[in-house]
Amino acid sequence: MDKKVAIVFWSKTGNTKLMANALKESIELQNYQADMFKAYNFDINKAMEYPIIALGCPAMGAETLEESEFLPMYNSIKSVLKDKKVFLFGSYSWGDGKWMRDWAYDAKNNGIILFREPIIAKDKPTDDILLKIKKVGIDLLSD
């Protein structure tokens, strides 16, 4: 089976998008397909096409997932994520990462096995964070 990855994200300030771009670059350097989608362009039918899905969303409001586009999309695809490699990432500007802990907890409670612990960045991702994201891109493709 050809390995292809869907990178689905929502970004307001561009920080989460930087993380998504680093992941895409890493995957493509290995000559694999990495398709990026904004949350509103991804649905359950597209989710079924990909064995590997990376989901990126920043913390919004009181440390929650973005509610108008990202959260509805995520809720609509949860049922098909159980048989896939799933990786979560995102950025935040205040707080302590509660939104990501809550998201990972929700995923696990819905039978989704996360590929590894999520990666989060405070504000703009540092070079170190981007290197970690790129390493995930390599590791996602290994069996």
Side-chain angles (χ1 to χ4, degrees):
M1 171 194 252
D2 289 332
K3 291 183 183 177
K4 62 181 186 173
V5 180
I7 303 168
V8 186
F9 71 97
W10 190 93
S11 187
K12 181 175 182 177
T13 64
N15 294 331
T16 299
K17 185 176 182 180
L18 286 171
M19 298 170 82
N21 286 336
L23 185 60
K24 178 178 176 62
E25 177 185 321
S26 174
I27 292 164
E28 289 179 342
L29 282 172
Q30 299 172 84
N31 296 314
Y32 288 99
Q33 180 178 336
D35 298 326
M36 286 183 48
F37 299 91
K38 292 190 176 177
Y40 62 82
N41 283 331
F42 199 75
D43 60 25
I44 196 165
N45 293 320
K46 286 184 180 151
M48 291 189 305
E49 296 175 22
Y50 291 86
I52 304 168
I53 299 178
L55 298 168
C57 186
M60 300 297 292
E63 286 207 76
T64 61
L65 293 173
E66 192 280 326
E67 295 177 332
S68 66
E69 294 174 15
F70 193 88
L71 185 58
M73 177 279 304
Y74 170 67
N75 284 334
S76 76
I77 68 170
K78 274 192 230 185
S79 65
V80 299
L81 295 178
K82 296 174 186 172
D83 300 320
K84 301 182 181 295
K85 278 188 179 180
V86 177
F87 172 65
L88 307 179
F89 65 95
S91 60
Y92 65 105
S93 60
W94 63 274
D96 68 356
K98 181 182 181 309
W99 103 101
M100 187 59 76
R101 290 190 302 275
D102 290 347
W103 186 11
Y105 180 80
D106 178 80
K108 291 172 186 173
N109 274 352
N110 281 282
I112 300 164
I113 299 169
L114 298 180
F115 172 68
R116 70 169 38 148
E117 288 301 309
I119 294 178
I120 62 175
K122 179 145 176 44
D123 299 317
K124 184 177 180 181
T126 62
D127 289 344
D128 184 53
I129 293 290
L130 293 176
L131 284 173
K132 287 179 182 178
I133 291 279
K134 289 178 180 181
K135 174 85 168 79
V136 168
I138 294 167
D139 295 345
L140 276 171
L141 298 168
S142 63
D143 291 323

